Amino acid sequence: MKQKQKHHSNQFGRTHKRVSTMLAMSEGLKETASNGHEKMLISQEQQAKINEVKKLIGPLSDKASVYCSDASIMRYLSSRNWNVKRASQMLKQSLKWRKEYKPEEIRYEEVIDEAKTGMMYKPNYSDKYGRSVLVMRPCCQNSKSTQGQVKYFVYSMEKAALALPPHQEQMVWLIDFQGFNLSHVSFKVTREIAHILQAYYPKRLGLAIMYNAPTIFQPFFAMVKPFLETETCNKIKFVNSDDHNTKKIMEDLFDMDNIEPAFGGNGGTGFDINKYAERMKEDDKKTHSFWTHANSLSSVSHSAPLD
């Protein structure tokens, strides 16, 4: 039981133990931009800025305190070029949104209508860097509900974050454009998702692979691009199965025996709603267990005397 609790406390990169390990291993922020992989490590100077942010934010509820781990605060700082005031403002807005929207409380039963077609799902594999993967298939979009689509996106982001191993903060999106036409996308939904991603999940996206995007998608992307931050745009990579470089890109990032044939891989038979529903219900239990256990740890920490 203790081992299970320890596992849940390591998720999201939220625990102080994890940050201590990172401090012992690190000297600065390291990035490899060629494939969108980015691993964050904390230096003493960065730790000082993290502590400044904590002071500006002030006292927090147990749940907010869990969210505001050093690793989480560092993502906000990095997203705002290590400007303490701007990062603090951004984090305060995120905390307000999380308090109102309650993303960690969304359960599979609430989003099943959006999930059942396989238009977005978290497959049971990661990339070679341990990053969670979200597969998106616009052609499977069956809903016109902006609220429903956004809620399912948030649910999927929370599950992808929960699946991250220690010392990994980011995820990869694989977007399959097979069968795509413009009726499958909504400018309103895309703009709202872009806002949520950039404002409330900073530094979570490591790479978005647009696989076989057709020419008709380009005008739509041109409309959306002004709403994307430069860093977000730089994470988006268009690849085509006819390009001989695409195979190498995919092989460098993934074990191709895990990847679906739609992305040039040899794995799986595609999306199975029944199996996915079972996995997501198990993930819902993990989410509940994580936040329950993390809140209890936070309460103990707050009540403990200072050394």
Side-chain angles (χ1 to χ4, degrees):
M1 182 69 178
K2 290 182 180 178
Q3 202 169 12
K4 184 176 180 182
Q5 288 177 335
K6 183 179 179 182
H7 170 74
H8 291 313
S9 68
N10 280 335
Q11 302 297 327
F12 283 124
R14 303 287 191 246
T15 63
H16 292 294
K17 183 177 180 181
R18 173 180 172 179
V19 173
S20 297
T21 302
M22 292 169 72
L23 279 166
M25 294 173 59
S26 70
E27 287 185 347
L29 181 67
K30 299 181 180 180
E31 296 186 15
T32 53
S34 59
N35 56 16
H37 172 57
E38 183 177 297
K39 191 170 183 178
M40 292 184 179
L41 303 172
I42 304 176
S43 71
Q44 289 185 346
E45 183 180 355
Q46 291 160 355
Q47 184 67 55
K49 287 184 176 290
I50 289 170
N51 293 339
E52 287 184 58
V53 171
K54 289 179 180 179
K55 289 179 181 178
L56 286 174
I57 292 174
L60 298 169
S61 67
D62 287 346
K63 190 173 286 189
S65 179
V66 170
Y67 181 76
C68 292
S69 67
D70 286 11
S72 182
I73 292 173
M74 189 167 71
R75 287 200 311 274
Y76 283 84
L77 279 164
S78 180
S79 179
R80 290 297 175 260
N81 199 30
W82 294 89
N83 183 299
V84 171
K85 289 185 178 180
R86 292 179 62 208
S88 299
Q89 292 169 353
M90 185 184 188
L91 181 52
K92 285 178 181 179
Q93 287 300 312
S94 279
L95 291 173
K96 180 182 178 183
W97 174 77
R98 292 188 72 88
K99 183 178 180 181
E100 296 171 352
Y101 202 87
K102 296 179 171 51
E104 75 283 354
E105 295 182 13
I106 303 172
R107 295 297 177 258
Y108 183 74
E109 288 79 7
E110 301 173 50
V111 294
I112 190 170
D113 286 342
E114 301 291 340
K116 62 186 179 183
T117 65
M119 57 79 61
M120 182 189 304
Y121 61 93
K122 180 175 71 68
N124 204 16
Y125 59 80
S126 302
D127 78 350
K128 290 182 178 179
Y129 297 102
R131 293 179 293 188
S132 299
V133 177
L134 285 179
V135 173
M136 304 177 188
R137 290 199 163 92
C139 71
C140 295
Q141 180 59 54
N142 69 330
S143 168
K144 299 297 183 183
S145 169
T146 298
Q147 182 179 3
Q149 291 179 52
V150 169
K151 190 172 186 178
Y152 184 47
F153 170 77
V154 170
Y155 174 83
S156 300
M157 288 292 291
E158 291 288 312
K159 297 311 177 196
L162 180 68
L164 289 168
H167 313 311
Q168 181 53 264
E169 296 289 322
Q170 297 187 320
M171 59 192 70
V172 176
W173 295 355
L174 283 174
I175 300 96
D176 174 18
F177 280 90
Q178 184 176 2
F180 173 84
N181 64 59
L182 290 177
S183 68
H184 296 139
V185 290
S186 160
F187 178 75
K188 183 178 180 180
V189 171
T190 304
R191 184 174 61 178
E192 180 64 18
I193 285 175
H195 169 69
I196 289 173
L197 171 69
Q198 295 173 148
Y200 308 136
Y201 294 95
K203 291 294 195 177
R204 280 302 195 192
L205 179 62
L207 186 65
I209 297 178
M210 317 289 269
Y211 203 88
N212 287 340
T215 304
I216 59 171
F217 177 72
Q218 297 304 324
F220 179 82
F221 184 69
M223 291 171 57
V224 172
K225 198 170 180 179
F227 298 98
L228 301 179
E229 296 173 358
T230 301
E231 183 182 10
T232 304
C233 286
N234 291 339
K235 301 289 186 181
I236 299 172
K237 307 298 179 185
F238 288 86
V239 303
N240 194 295
S241 56
D242 294 333
D243 187 341
H244 69 278
N245 291 321
T246 294
K247 183 178 180 181
K248 184 179 186 308
I249 291 171
M250 297 299 288
E251 288 177 347
D252 286 346
L253 289 169
F254 301 101
D255 179 347
M256 298 308 288
D257 288 334
N258 292 331
I259 299 296
E260 297 92 325
F263 300 106
N266 309 311
T269 56
F271 179 76
D272 184 317
I273 181 59
N274 295 320
K275 291 181 180 179
Y276 191 64
E278 290 176 9
R279 282 207 293 119
M280 289 302 98
K281 289 174 182 177
E282 286 301 312
D283 278 4
D284 285 350
K285 293 177 183 177
K286 292 177 184 177
T287 301
H288 176 75
S289 178
F290 166 79
W291 285 103
T292 300
H293 180 60
N295 285 343
S296 66
L297 287 177
S298 177
S299 297
V300 171
S301 176
H302 288 168
S303 62
L306 295 175
D307 293 334

